Amino acid sequence: MKNEQVTELLYQALETEQGGIEVYTTALKCAVNADLKKEWEEYLDQTRNHERIVLELMDKLGIDPGKDTPGRLVVRHIGESLVEAMEMAMEGAPPEAAQLVACECVVEAETKDHLNWELIHEIAEKAKGEQRDELKAAYEQVEEEEDEHLYHSMGWCRELWIESLGMPAVLPPPEEEKEVKTAIGAARAKMARKELL
Ligand SMILES: [Fe+2]
Ligand SMILES: [Fe+2]
């Protein structure tokens, strides 16, 4: 395994969680649907906890969390752009449209977040000794929450878009009702949505 790239992944993971806090804070200002708001409040709390977990992990592995790498700066730029996109929507668009923008921004942020933790799980399997134990302890606390963040947010995004198009929507989305935690579960929930209408 390339240790330098493992460190890079952890920098990007930390930056994703830190950007995620800003993304959810802004997304909450865009939320109109009460159930969605409740969901995002929970995800914001969990994201704050994820930041803490990555910081702890870096501390244990002897990595300085204050260092900026070129890759980390790109992640920061994308996070800030997502926040800016939501602010733009709040200024110029009706509340329901800004909510849709926020849903899309959350899905984009969570796609990266989910990938990071999937990769942290992968490297934990290959790592040895203390590094393995620390990586494993971290992803075990986070991975299931990241599954929910991504798959449930994708469901919200799709159903709120469908509702905005004047078609019957399943709200809260089937991914949430079925507590989907895998890609295959998300695909099944999406396929079954028409039976729930
Ligand atoms: Fe996270
Ligand atoms: Fe997340």
Side-chain angles (χ1 to χ4, degrees):
M1 226 163 31
K2 292 183 182 166
N3 253 311
E4 217 172 280
Q5 187 66 350
V6 170
T7 304
E8 172 62 22
L9 173 62
L10 295 179
Y11 278 125
Q12 292 195 19
L14 176 62
E15 191 64 42
T16 305
E17 299 295 1
Q18 290 171 335
I21 294 169
E22 302 306 318
V23 166
Y24 278 115
T25 303
T26 313
L28 274 164
K29 294 183 200 157
C30 301
V32 182
N33 182 294
D35 291 325
L36 178 63
K37 206 167 203 164
K38 222 177 102 209
E39 188 86 348
W40 280 351
E41 272 161 6
E42 195 186 312
Y43 293 173
L44 171 59
D45 277 348
Q46 291 174 345
T47 303
R48 287 197 182 109
N49 190 40
H50 296 174
E51 184 205 14
R52 189 188 56 76
I53 290 167
V54 182
L55 284 170
E56 237 177 67
L57 175 63
M58 288 176 125
D59 183 51
K60 284 182 178 142
L61 298 178
I63 301 167
D64 168 19
K67 199 181 134 191
D68 283 336
T69 67
R72 180 178 184 175
L73 291 174
V74 170
V75 175
R76 186 176 306 159
H77 174 79
I78 293 172
E80 287 169 355
S81 305
L82 294 173
V83 168
E84 215 178 293
M86 287 184 273
E87 282 167 351
M88 228 171 111
M90 275 190 286
E91 267 172 42
E96 279 75 16
Q99 178 175 260
L100 289 178
V101 171
C103 282
E104 290 186 15
C105 289
V106 165
V107 170
E108 292 202 17
E110 290 296 354
T111 300
K112 171 65 172 164
D113 203 12
H114 189 267
L115 172 64
N116 292 338
W117 284 101
E118 206 170 29
L119 292 170
I120 291 169
H121 187 157
E122 287 292 322
I123 56 175
E125 309 258 305
K126 293 277 171 294
K128 291 189 177 70
E130 202 199 336
Q131 192 190 31
R132 180 193 177 95
D133 296 342
E134 299 301 349
L135 288 165
K136 190 165 181 258
Y139 84 70
E140 278 180 348
Q141 293 178 76
V142 174
E143 206 172 34
E144 254 190 35
E145 290 177 357
E146 296 300 5
D147 290 332
E148 292 186 359
H149 291 184
L150 178 60
Y151 300 123
H152 296 199
S153 297
M154 286 167 74
W156 275 104
C157 194
R158 182 193 63 241
E159 295 301 330
L160 286 171
W161 250 114
I162 287 174
E163 184 186 53
S164 81
L165 291 163
M167 295 189 290
V170 184
L171 289 166
E175 286 85 345
E176 194 159 325
E177 300 291 281
K178 293 183 191 296
E179 292 177 33
V180 163
K181 289 185 180 72
T182 58
I184 193 162
R188 279 202 199 100
K190 191 173 156 185
M191 296 256 296
R193 68 174 296 281
K194 291 217 164 93
E195 293 155 28
L196 299 165
L197 291 171

